[in-house]
């Protein structure tokens, strides 16, 4: 029996870890951020590249979902036109809480180079944004880093409380 | 760097000013210099009045009357083998002559020739639809309506194609401001949140070259970010943004660069 003796006082002695509810819930949340596929223009290509095998988003637990009801984060990748604005609002409303929004690329941040009548000058005019990624288009590394910062943000929140309503207005 | 000019009132002025360099016209040639075109023109002239015809860049341009367009295109498709309408749209000449030029770009696959049919209509007039002859005219005529407000008579579905159905204004008119009029600027806010929300959301920031260093609502100095709305003095401390808290993360091992092996041999 002696060789099977378990040392309870040391890390890894047993598959038991002591932690708080906050930490375990946030561990679950932050490591399974399912993203809504929201490629609107060229930035969408970089978002797809991040999901493909070279950059491998799956190892962050970020899996792209085609339905807002299964998604935690909306990665707005690309140019938001005024015609499309009402749909992004509707999809955002359909996402279950807690939910986050990453605005990817200059177009989504500020309208970018499309200083025209048909482009929304920044998605934050329509929905609240958690993280802005600069670039035209941002590299997949930027998106990965953004997701890691989002994980950090999630860990900083209390898990028990409902998410504070992030409202534009 | 370009010198900064204040663009705040740019939309108040009409967009169209004569600031574009005008290219000299491409040389025109007699239609008789090309046998195929000469025969085609003779066939058209036999049935319809033609006010002008010439060859430019190996293409023939034929000016006709607006009311003849359906007949001319039918003749060209059925008898002259111009079986494809590759493009059609309008050109805005309202400022100069209060009219639009409408053009139809035709292609013959067998003759390997292109002909452009043109006519003018007065501002506010409608054109005859050629959707029955060429299916491609279906969307082209809708686009022409969307961008210039020119309606096509007898078109089966005369609605906007690119802009939303409830859009006001015709964006390709020279008088339409590039950055949109009042309606365009508030379109998404009015539609989603209602007019009352305008004040709260605020106007669009169109002047991309303005950066207010002391505005902590919209801008942050990289590496020196402060919470939104903080008073900025200029000596904000540098904050290290790392993706893991110092104390480590539950169940996740912290990456330590010193104790990890770096492979920098590309031939490994
Ligand atoms: S930011 Fe650049 S790459 Fe991204 S959608 Fe806009 S134009 Fe395309």
């Amino acid at each position: 029996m002696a060789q099977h003796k378990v040392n309870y006082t040391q890390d890894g002695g047993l598959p038991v870890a002591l932690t708080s509810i906050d930490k375990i819930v946030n561990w679950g949340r932050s490591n399974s951020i399912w993203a809504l596929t929201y490629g609107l223009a060229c930035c969408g290509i970089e978002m797809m590249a991040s999901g493909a095998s070279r950059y491998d988003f799956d190892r962050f637990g970020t899996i792209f979902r085609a339905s807002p009801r299964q998604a935690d984060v909306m990665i707005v990748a690309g140019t938001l036109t005024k015609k499309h604005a009402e749909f992004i609002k509707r999809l955002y409303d359909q996402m279950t809480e807690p939910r986050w929004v990453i605005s990817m690329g200059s177009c989504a941040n500020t309208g970018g180079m499309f200083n025209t009548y048909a482009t929304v000058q920044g998605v934050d005019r329509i929905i609240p944004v958690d993280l802005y990624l600069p670039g035209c288009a941002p590299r997949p590394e930027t998106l990965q880093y953004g997701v890691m910062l989002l994980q950090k943000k999630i860990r900083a929140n209390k898990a028990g409380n409902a998410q504070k309503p992030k409202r534009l207005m | 760097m370009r010198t900064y000019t204040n663009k705040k009132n740019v939309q108040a002025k009409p967009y169209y000013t004569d600031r574009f360099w005008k290219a000299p016209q491409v040389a025109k040639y007699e239609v008789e210099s090309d046998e195929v075109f000469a025969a085609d023109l003779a066939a058209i002239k036999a049935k319809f009045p033609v006010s002008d015809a010439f060859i430019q860049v190996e293409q023939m341009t034929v000016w006709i009357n607006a009311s003849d367009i359906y007949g001319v295109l039918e003749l060209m498709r059925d008898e002259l083998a111009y079986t494809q309408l590759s493009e059609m749209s309008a050109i805005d000449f309202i400022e100069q002559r209060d009219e639009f030029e409408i053009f139809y770009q035709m292609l013959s696959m067998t003759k390997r020739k292109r002909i452009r049919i043109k006519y003018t209509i007065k501002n506010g007039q409608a054109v005859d639809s050629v959707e029955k002859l060429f299916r491609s005219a279906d969307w082209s005529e809708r686009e022409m309506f969307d961008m210039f407000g020119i309606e096509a008579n007898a078109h089966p579905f005369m609605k906007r194609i690119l802009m939303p159905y409830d859009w006001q204004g015709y964006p390709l008119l020279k008088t339409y401001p590039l950055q949109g009029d009042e309606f365009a600027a508030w379109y998404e806010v009015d539609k989603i949140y209602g007019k009352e929300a305008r004040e709260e959301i605020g106007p669009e920031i169109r002047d991309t070259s303005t950066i207010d260093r002391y505005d902590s609502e919209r801008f942050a100095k990289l590496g020196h970010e402060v919470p939104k709305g903080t008073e900025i003095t200029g000596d904000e401390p540098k904050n290290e943004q790392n993706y893991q808290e110092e104390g480590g993360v539950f169940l996740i091992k912290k990456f330590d660069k010193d104790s990890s092996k770096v492979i920098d041999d590309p031939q490994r």
Side-chain angles (χ1 to χ4, degrees), chain A residues 40-44 46 77-79 104-108 111-114 135-138:
Chain A
L40 291 172
C42 12
C43 275
E46 295 296 290
T79 323
M104 180 178 180
S106 311
C107 285
M113 63 168 134
F114 299 106
C136 174

Side-chain angles (χ1 to χ4, degrees), chain B residues 26-31 33-34 36-37 40 54-61 82 105-107 111-116:
Chain B
V26 182
K28 293 178 183 175
Y29 299 99
E30 293 290 315
V31 177
S33 60
D34 188 306
V36 183
F37 281 151
D40 289 341
F54 47 83
I55 294 180
Q56 254 180 339
V57 207
E58 298 175 17
Q59 291 185 33
M60 181 164 70
T61 305
Y82 287 86
Q105 186 74 28
M106 310 291 299
L107 169 67
K111 295 181 183 170
R112 288 182 284 152
K113 293 280 184 195
R114 291 178 193 272
I115 291 186
R116 186 178 303 152

Side-chain angles (χ1 to χ4, degrees), chain A residues 92-110:
Chain A
Y92 179 76
D93 288 344
Q94 284 176 352
M95 284 165 65
T96 50
E97 284 183 352
R99 58 190 170 192
W100 297 276
V101 176
I102 295 179
S103 152
M104 180 178 180
S106 311
C107 285
N109 295 344
T110 65

